[in-house]
């Protein structure tokens, strides 16, 4: 077997067809990191003239004038094959030592144990514990603080759209149906509109205490430039005047129904009461909308989402924001439904809601995020986690100094 550097095009051709492919293992992410001062490399293991394992590598200065190397969601390799693993990591270690590295960190896009929607291990489901064991046999250590998250939530798109919708939790389905009739519009933002996206996401991150999600505007602009058509920035907006027209129309229909019921008040006493409550609710919504229009203008921004089209397999939901003032309109549900529609229409196999905490306790402060995603059906994904491979004695010296 031969280990060598790969041309960028060679790596792309291999990575794009690999079952563990993720947008993290792309030239776009490599170029994004290069803009931040990292260096990029592509390496692979060749067997019988075919690439059998490869990774995109990033490097930057670390401790004692040595470098840290990192493969986000890599390497792309069969973690169940000890022979391939040994050959790849043995040669990778030599390669990185020559490049001045002292540590190699990685967090594969490789599932550990099969989980259901509640995060419970599926009986007789797959278990890739041997992958972790194989890595440990090579003196590779578990990274206690990996760069990428270990727990995800996803929805397979293997059913017709109407069946998918029926599989949602009833509350989620009802909210989606309500928002579809509310006049909320979803549109894709242009580059010069990303400041609106940044402002909403920044405010949301601060409100929830998610400091790691508080990205600068430059981050969104760089992703827009690098990923082009493979990235979507969506914004949910409401034209207040259009919304008020819908409310008026709804009210007229219900008032006609009320008139019909009042022809027999004794027989329809309960329904008359319910109908009047509905009319009062519409009146309150109208008053609230008029207040919003006076304070914030005719069109208001409600919710936003950033989505990566990862190859032709899945769409990943990376970052979101919501205007706290308008949470009652539930636009975040509509955005999710519309991207699922888009994914189905364009032949994607999976919609990945991405990160959850992996804590399934209802008292946990992060549980609400998981509960929201769970409403759309799907299942929990548990990845094998992050790892680090010592490259030189500097690794142990740094550990000793830290201790």
């Amino acid at each position: 077997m031969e280990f060598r550097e790969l041309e960028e095009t060679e790596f792309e051709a291999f990575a794009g067809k690999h079952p563990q492919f993720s947008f993290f293992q792309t030239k776009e992410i490599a170029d994004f990191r290069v803009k931040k001062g990292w260096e990029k490399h592509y390496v692979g293991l060749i067997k019988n003239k075919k690439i059998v394992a490869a990774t995109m590598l990033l490097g930057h200065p670390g401790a004692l004038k040595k470098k840290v190397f990192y493969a986000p969601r890599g390497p792309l390799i069969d973690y169940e094959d000890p022979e391939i693993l040994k050959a790849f990591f043995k040669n990778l270690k030599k390669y990185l030592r020559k490049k001045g590295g002292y540590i190699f960190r990685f967090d594969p896009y490789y599932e550990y144990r099969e989980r259901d929607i509640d995060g419970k291990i599926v009986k007789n489901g797959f278990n890739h514990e041997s992958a972790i064991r194989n890595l440990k046999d090579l003196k590779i250590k578990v990274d206690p603080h990996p760069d990428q998250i270990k727990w995800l939530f996803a929805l397979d798109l293997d059913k017709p759209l109407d069946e998918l919708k029926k599989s949602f939790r009833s509350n989620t389905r009802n909210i989606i149906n309500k928002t579809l009739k509310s006049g909320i519009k979803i549109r894709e933002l242009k580059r010069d509109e990303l400041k609106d996206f940044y402002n909403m996401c920044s405010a949301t991150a601060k409100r929830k205490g998610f400091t790691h999600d508080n990205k600068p505007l430059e981050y969104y602009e760089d992703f827009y430039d690098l990923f082009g058509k493979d990235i979507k920035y969506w914004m949910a907006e409401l034209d207040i005047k259009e919304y008020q027209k819908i409310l008026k129309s709804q009210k007229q229909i219900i008032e006609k129904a009320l008139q019909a019921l009042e022809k027999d008040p004794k027989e329809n006493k309960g329904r008359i009461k319910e109908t009047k409550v509905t009319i009062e609710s519409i009146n309150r919504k109208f008053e609230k909308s008029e207040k919003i229009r006076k304070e914030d203008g005719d069109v208001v921004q409600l919710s936003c989402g950033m989505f990566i089209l990862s190859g032709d397999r899945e769409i990943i939901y990376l970052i979101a924001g919501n205007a706290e003032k308008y949470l009652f309109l539930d636009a975040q549900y509509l955005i999710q439904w519309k991207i699922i529609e888009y994914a189905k229409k364009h032949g994607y196999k999976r919609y990945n809601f991405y990160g959850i905490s992996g804590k399934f306790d209802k008292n946990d402060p992060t549980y609400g995020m998981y509960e929201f995603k769970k409403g759309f059906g799907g299942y929990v994904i548990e990845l094998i986690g992050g790892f680090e491979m010592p490259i030189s004695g500097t690794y142990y010296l740094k550990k000793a100094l830290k201790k």
Side-chain angles (χ1 to χ4, degrees):
M1 285 186 276
E2 176 195 5
F3 182 91
R4 64 173 173 82
E5 290 187 334
L6 301 176
E7 295 293 330
E8 192 169 70
T9 51
E10 273 187 298
F11 174 76
E12 284 187 292
F14 172 78
K17 296 177 181 178
H18 200 276
Q20 296 158 31
F21 173 77
S22 163
F23 80 95
F24 283 99
Q25 277 286 301
T26 60
K27 69 180 182 65
E28 286 82 7
I29 288 294
D31 291 340
F32 175 76
R33 292 293 187 108
V34 166
K35 285 190 71 174
K36 310 300 178 186
W38 294 63
E39 59 187 69
K40 65 177 179 178
H41 306 268
Y42 303 97
V43 296
L45 185 70
I46 290 80
K47 182 179 182 181
N48 298 327
K49 298 182 180 181
K50 287 185 177 181
I51 301 172
V52 293
T55 193
M56 179 269 285
L57 286 168
L58 301 162
H60 72 85
L64 303 174
K65 297 184 179 180
K66 293 286 186 177
K67 295 177 183 177
V68 172
F69 282 92
Y70 174 47
R73 294 294 186 226
L76 306 177
I77 191 171
D78 184 354
Y79 289 89
E80 311 292 329
D81 188 328
E83 181 189 7
I84 295 293
L85 278 176
K86 184 177 180 181
F88 182 83
F89 281 100
K90 181 181 177 182
N91 284 284
L92 178 63
K93 191 171 186 177
K94 290 179 182 177
Y95 175 85
L96 295 180
R97 188 177 288 131
K98 288 179 182 177
K99 295 290 182 181
Y102 82 90
I103 184 175
F104 171 58
R105 303 177 66 236
F106 60 105
D107 36 45
Y109 203 41
Y110 193 67
E111 293 188 48
Y112 181 12
R113 293 169 293 197
E114 188 172 359
R115 302 267 181 173
D116 64 15
I117 190 170
D118 298 312
K120 295 176 181 176
I121 295 173
V122 176
K123 187 178 181 181
N124 299 321
F126 63 75
N127 187 331
H128 295 150
E129 191 174 342
S130 59
I132 299 173
R133 191 164 55 247
N134 289 337
L135 290 171
K136 288 182 176 179
D137 287 345
L138 296 174
K139 309 301 181 188
I140 292 171
K141 306 174 185 299
V142 172
D143 185 347
H145 305 291
D147 280 37
Q148 306 301 331
I149 52 180
K150 181 179 178 177
W151 296 89
L152 317 173
F153 193 86
L155 172 68
D156 286 337
L157 305 175
D158 53 354
K159 300 175 185 174
L161 200 57
D162 59 339
E163 286 187 32
L164 279 173
K165 196 176 185 184
K166 286 176 184 176
S167 71
F168 296 171
R169 189 181 291 169
S170 60
N171 181 54
T172 297
R173 190 168 58 249
N174 291 338
I175 291 173
I176 290 169
N177 290 335
K178 180 196 76 173
T179 58
L180 286 168
K181 298 174 184 176
S182 67
I184 297 171
K185 304 295 183 185
I186 310 293
R187 70 179 184 89
E188 189 168 347
L189 298 178
K190 297 176 182 178
R191 192 183 191 280
D192 61 0
E193 297 176 301
L194 292 181
K195 191 167 185 180
D196 291 338
F197 188 93
Y198 158 74
N199 287 336
M200 188 174 287
C201 289
S202 181
T204 302
K206 288 175 183 175
R207 184 173 76 245
K208 294 187 174 183
F210 295 163
T211 53
H212 59 285
D213 281 343
N214 198 0
K215 312 291 187 186
L217 175 60
E218 183 187 17
Y219 173 91
Y220 301 115
E221 291 174 337
D222 286 345
F223 264 65
Y224 187 98
D225 295 338
L226 289 165
F227 281 94
K229 62 182 179 59
D230 290 331
I231 192 165
K232 303 289 180 187
Y233 291 97
W234 281 7
M235 181 70 75
E237 297 177 333
L238 183 64
D239 184 315
I240 300 298
K241 289 184 178 179
E242 287 298 317
Y243 178 57
Q244 290 177 338
K245 285 180 184 178
I246 292 169
L247 291 175
K248 286 179 180 179
S249 177
Q250 289 175 351
K251 184 179 176 181
Q252 287 172 358
I253 292 169
I254 295 169
E255 283 177 338
K256 284 183 180 180
L258 178 62
Q259 289 172 7
L261 291 170
E262 287 177 335
K263 289 177 181 178
D264 191 349
K266 289 183 179 180
E267 181 70 24
N268 298 312
K269 185 177 179 182
R271 292 174 66 189
I272 289 171
K273 185 177 180 181
E274 289 176 8
T275 305
K276 286 182 176 179
V277 167
T278 302
I279 292 172
E280 288 172 8
S281 175
I282 292 174
N283 287 335
R284 286 195 299 272
K285 287 178 181 178
F286 192 92
E287 289 170 7
K288 196 169 187 178
S289 71
E290 186 60 20
K291 184 181 178 183
I292 290 171
R293 192 181 69 80
K294 288 177 179 177
E295 290 177 355
D296 301 329
D298 290 344
V299 178
V300 292
Q301 295 179 332
L302 315 175
S303 183
C304 63
M306 172 184 174
F307 308 93
I308 292 281
L309 314 186
S310 192
D312 59 356
R313 298 178 196 172
E314 67 177 0
I315 293 182
I316 298 176
Y317 173 44
L318 272 187
I319 297 175
N322 296 291
E324 186 177 18
K325 189 175 182 179
Y326 306 124
L327 283 172
F328 71 95
L329 290 166
D330 294 316
Q332 64 272 28
Y333 285 86
L334 185 60
I335 281 188
Q336 296 304 314
W337 173 242
K338 288 298 182 180
I339 196 67
I340 290 169
E341 274 189 334
Y342 179 93
K344 278 294 294 181
K345 181 180 178 180
H346 291 85
Y348 288 90
K349 298 177 179 64
R350 183 166 80 175
Y351 176 53
N352 195 334
F353 290 88
Y354 216 57
I356 56 174
S357 67
K359 298 173 182 176
F360 305 105
D361 178 2
K362 291 184 178 181
N363 296 315
D364 187 86
T366 63
Y367 188 81
M369 177 173 59
Y370 160 63
E371 185 76 2
F372 169 73
K373 296 175 181 181
K374 185 180 176 182
F376 293 85
Y379 53 93
V380 171
I381 295 175
E382 179 190 16
L383 301 176
I384 60 174
F387 301 87
E388 55 187 33
M389 179 173 70
I391 303 298
S392 73
T394 302
Y395 171 88
Y396 300 100
L397 178 58
K398 186 175 182 293
K399 291 282 185 183
L401 289 171
K402 192 174 181 181
K403 197 175 284 186

